[in-house]
Amino acid sequence: MKRVRHKYTIRCRCLGSILCFIVGCSILIIKFNWYDTQRSICLPKNPDDEIIDRQDEWQYQNSITGQWYNWRTAYKRQNNQTEWPVNWLNAAPKSHLGVIVYLATLGDIKSLQTSLTQLSRMLSNNPRPVVIFHEDDLSNSEIHQSLAQILGNSTPLAFEHIKFSNSSIQPGRLHRRWSSKYFHMCRFFTLMLPNHPLLTLFSYYWRLDTHSYIFGGQPIEDPFEIMQKRKIQYAFVMANRDNEAYTLGLWSFFHQFLKEHCLVPSRNFRKTQPGWIDSYSTAIFFTNLAIANVSLFRDHPLIRAWLHKADRNGGIYRYRWGDAPLHTLILTQLIPRNQILRLRYFGYMHRNEYVCARGIKDDLCKAQIKTVFPDPNLIFYNHPDGCNPSFGNPLCHYYPEITL
Ligand SMILES: *[C@@H]1O[C@H](CO)[C@@H](O)[C@H](O)[C@H]1NC(C)=O
Ligand SMILES: *[C@@H]1O[C@H](CO)[C@@H](O)[C@H](O)[C@H]1NC(C)=O
Ligand SMILES: *[C@@H]1O[C@H](CO)[C@@H](O)[C@H](O)[C@H]1NC(C)=O
């Protein structure tokens, strides 16, 4: 009797285990299939659905005809389109490979003069056209002539008159300390500039701030040619971190965008954008000096979709989302690692923070800065490897670098 019951229990346990195994397997199979179906039923949104080709309230004026146009945020080249006429001072561009662009106001004129002086020194072997976008206050022809003189006879210079509109400035603004101009600037560099008709004349644009100064011992190799030779889409010099107060909601908003387009975070994104436990590191390209393929922010379907979505969200005005995080998130997600380049072969200063060309001795670099800013009372901050913070900025050495 005892023996029989024992046998019976063993058989029971055996059956139980087999049953468990079968149930477990089924659950796993169902789960994996479910994930698969989930993946296969993810229907990506059409990127072009993000784009509403409306006439924006912002305007630009042609420098020759004087005609004003409403800004188009979805640029489409038409076959019958005539080229955008430009009133070039000094000389007409010999090459249309690249253009250097500023957004300036009269209040910045002193630093703009220094910035242009440095351009004329450092690019004297290969002068590139310079275009200064402005609202009203740089329309004076004496100012035009004096800035043209700084650049010298062989550097083409043009002024593009634009008009921002205040209607996107809503009462919900979080950071009231900043003037409305600052928010317009963020929107200008995020979305509007690449859709200005002047840029259709060129292959690359190089953005500088009025407080951006390149420096070094002698004229540098032309960055546009380097980029063309290496098939680079985007180049930068310094990496930074944004203030968390200016990226509110941006991390989840970007992930929502990825989900809508059935994208998972790319390897380059995962290596450079998350911080601790999948939070946002806020690591950014310091976009006050950046060179981009003109087509990148204008024609790439997903990049364009992202910029339009961000623009419609209103976060630029509500939270002060800058062009730096908006561009960095999407570039790290979509652009291959070998198509982004860090330029370390010349010195660069933004306001009072600087980085020397890589490989140059410290005192030589300081002597170069003295030639730009002779005043001994000015204080400058050196970022030895061009990154802030120096340790723990995941963007710092991720992309290929070009050095002296
Ligand atoms: C070019 O063609 C489009 C569409 O056919 C038309 O609407 C536009 O007026 C034309 N532009 C010029 C400058 O002829
Ligand atoms: C926008 O607002 C600023 C400051 O409030 C003002 O100076 C400017 O004239 C306004 N611009 C337009 C186009 O209304
Ligand atoms: C810029 O990007 C476009 C689109 O990807 C590409 O066709 C073009 O060749 C690029 N321009 C340069 C100068 O590499």
Side-chain angles (χ1 to χ4, degrees):
M1 200 57 194
K2 230 181 180 177
R3 252 178 102 201
V4 173
R5 195 200 269 156
H6 188 61
K7 242 188 192 165
Y8 181 73
T9 335
I10 288 175
R11 197 181 295 156
C12 232
R13 271 190 202 152
C14 238
L15 263 172
S17 312
I18 289 170
L19 214 70
C20 275
F21 181 73
I22 291 172
V23 170
C25 280
S26 314
I27 288 176
L28 276 179
I29 286 168
I30 289 170
K31 195 172 161 189
F32 276 118
N33 274 336
W34 189 71
Y35 274 138
D36 270 351
T37 10
Q38 274 258 308
R39 216 176 291 152
S40 67
I41 60 171
C42 181
L43 292 173
K45 206 169 165 178
N46 180 351
D48 288 347
D49 289 351
E50 301 282 7
I51 292 155
I52 299 164
D53 184 16
R54 63 193 152 79
Q55 296 214 326
D56 200 86
E57 284 169 344
W58 285 27
Q59 295 186 320
Y60 45 72
Q61 185 183 33
N62 188 274
S63 59
I64 287 185
T65 66
Q67 192 179 338
W68 283 96
Y69 300 87
N70 282 89
W71 213 300
R72 303 294 288 258
T73 52
Y75 176 81
K76 257 194 232 109
R77 188 173 203 110
Q78 280 162 355
N79 290 333
N80 61 356
Q81 192 173 331
T82 50
E83 254 188 16
W84 182 251
V86 182
N87 182 20
W88 293 107
L89 307 182
N90 290 334
K94 285 205 190 84
S95 150
H96 287 90
L97 182 61
V99 60
I100 298 165
V101 295
Y102 290 88
L103 175 64
T105 64
L106 190 58
D108 302 324
I109 192 92
K110 269 200 93 132
S111 53
L112 178 60
Q113 285 164 343
T114 309
S115 184
L116 294 177
T117 305
Q118 287 311 107
L119 275 186
S120 73
R121 280 184 191 169
M122 302 295 292
L123 302 182
S124 60
N125 287 343
N126 209 346
R128 291 293 179 181
V130 175
V131 174
I132 299 171
F133 290 84
H134 66 99
E135 280 205 282
D136 245 335
D137 50 358
L138 286 178
S139 296
N140 179 317
S141 69
E142 272 166 40
I143 294 177
H144 291 187
Q145 290 307 329
S146 78
L147 295 179
Q149 237 166 39
I150 290 178
L151 285 171
N153 281 340
S154 44
T155 301
L157 172 67
F159 293 83
E160 289 288 341
H161 194 182
I162 58 177
K163 220 180 252 164
F164 303 135
S165 143
N166 287 340
S167 68
S168 29
I169 302 232
Q170 284 145 8
R173 222 158 22 119
L174 203 65
H175 302 285
R176 301 191 163 245
R177 197 160 56 79
W178 296 78
S179 84
S180 54
K181 276 218 165 37
Y182 192 89
F183 299 85
H184 291 322
M185 180 191 76
C186 293
R187 183 171 190 244
F188 177 79
F189 286 113
T190 297
L191 174 70
M192 303 306 264
L193 172 66
N195 287 294
H196 189 285
L198 174 113
L199 294 225
T200 60
L201 307 174
F202 297 93
S203 299
Y204 290 104
Y205 73 90
W206 175 352
R207 176 229 174 145
L208 286 172
D209 274 6
T210 45
H211 295 88
S212 294
Y213 319 103
I214 59 172
F215 65 87
Q218 66 258 327
I220 58 167
E221 196 181 336
D222 182 73
F224 296 127
E225 274 174 12
I226 292 175
M227 290 176 73
Q228 186 184 39
K229 237 181 271 162
R230 299 186 171 211
K231 299 191 164 44
I232 301 295
Q233 299 295 317
Y234 187 86
F236 67 106
V237 173
M238 292 172 102
N240 212 320
R241 262 199 182 143
D242 209 348
N243 189 327
E244 274 174 26
Y246 304 144
T247 57
L248 285 179
L250 187 54
W251 189 240
S252 59
F253 185 64
F254 186 72
H255 280 85
Q256 183 194 329
F257 172 82
L258 292 183
K259 216 181 262 173
E260 282 168 3
H261 294 276
C262 303
L263 298 168
V264 293
S266 70
R267 181 184 158 78
N268 297 333
F269 178 89
R270 282 184 280 117
K271 292 277 182 191
T272 60
Q273 295 294 278
W276 290 103
I277 327 176
D278 223 27
S279 61
Y280 183 19
S281 71
T282 68
I284 49 174
F285 301 128
F286 214 26
T287 52
N288 39 64
L289 189 165
I291 309 181
N293 179 338
V294 165
S295 171
L296 191 62
F297 297 113
R298 187 186 65 200
D299 307 325
H300 188 297
L302 278 166
I303 295 183
R304 187 166 79 155
W306 162 245
L307 299 180
H308 274 83
K309 187 181 171 72
D311 186 45
R312 270 208 320 283
N313 173 283
I316 293 175
Y317 289 94
R318 204 175 323 115
Y319 302 126
R320 219 213 82 168
W321 292 351
D323 56 282
L326 289 167
H327 284 180
T328 306
L329 285 167
I330 197 72
L331 292 174
T332 52
Q333 170 69 27
L334 295 176
I335 301 303
R337 194 175 181 178
N338 61 2
Q339 292 178 19
I340 295 182
L341 183 65
R342 198 164 161 226
L343 309 175
R344 295 282 280 108
Y345 68 101
F346 54 84
Y348 175 57
M349 180 178 306
H350 182 254
R351 293 189 180 273
N352 56 4
E353 300 175 72
Y354 71 93
V355 60
C356 306
R358 186 152 166 205
I360 199 175
K361 289 229 169 64
D362 230 27
D363 37 348
L364 192 53
C365 181
K366 285 203 174 109
Q368 291 169 355
I369 291 174
K370 273 273 177 297
T371 66
V372 189
F373 298 102
D375 182 350
N377 296 317
L378 294 175
I379 294 169
F380 301 109
Y381 301 97
N382 185 5
H383 293 291
D385 55 6
C387 301
N388 186 20
S390 215
F391 292 102
N393 188 322
L395 267 180
C396 194
H397 296 296
Y398 187 72
Y399 288 102
E401 297 181 9
I402 178 163
T403 60
L404 270 176

